[in-house]
Amino acid sequence: MKRVVVSALLATCLAQAATQAAAQTVSNQCFAIGDIAGQVASWRTHKKTKAQALDQAAKYYRDDADRQTFAAIIEKIYAPNAPRMTPDQASMAFTSDCVKARTQQTSAR
């Protein structure tokens, strides 16, 4: 019985997340930016080149704002003077930077 309830709950959560993801872009969600940064840091750790990362982004992200966001993250993580970060470090750093920027934008209004 527990498995059925857990499976149904998980399916409901995934369906809601998919619906929300279709309605919004990545570029305006700090948690999504953090997740992408973690993924890009993982690619760098696993020796993917910057060009491979950009190709991967182009393949999966069709929205122009999302592509620009992804490209900016790739540029920062693959920059020659960028510190090497674990995926968790990158996720936390980019999420934190995004939240700070959003807070400053809101305060300026």
Side-chain angles (χ1 to χ4, degrees), residues 71-95:
I73 291 169
I74 290 169
E75 290 297 325
K76 287 181 184 177
I77 290 178
Y78 279 88
N81 60 346
R84 296 279 178 158
M85 293 186 273
T86 67
D88 286 341
Q89 290 170 329
S91 179
M92 288 185 287
F94 278 77
T95 301

Side-chain angles (χ1 to χ4, degrees), residues 61-72:
Y61 290 90
R62 300 286 181 219
D63 182 79
D64 284 338
D66 289 349
R67 282 184 174 180
Q68 290 174 357
T69 300
F70 213 111

Side-chain angles (χ1 to χ4, degrees), residues 48-56 74 78:
K48 272 197 176 182
T49 66
K50 181 178 171 181
Q52 288 172 320
L54 289 167
D55 286 345
Q56 190 83 10
I74 290 169
Y78 279 88

Side-chain angles (χ1 to χ4, degrees), residues 20 26 29 42 48 58 61 69 91 98 102-103 106:
Q20 290 173 353
V26 168
Q29 298 180 29
S42 176
K48 272 197 176 182
Y61 290 90
T69 300
S91 179
C98 177
R102 299 278 189 262
T103 303
T106 304

Side-chain angles (χ1 to χ4, degrees), residues 7-22:
S7 295
L9 183 60
L10 181 59
T12 302
C13 291
L14 291 174
Q16 286 177 335
T19 302
Q20 290 173 353

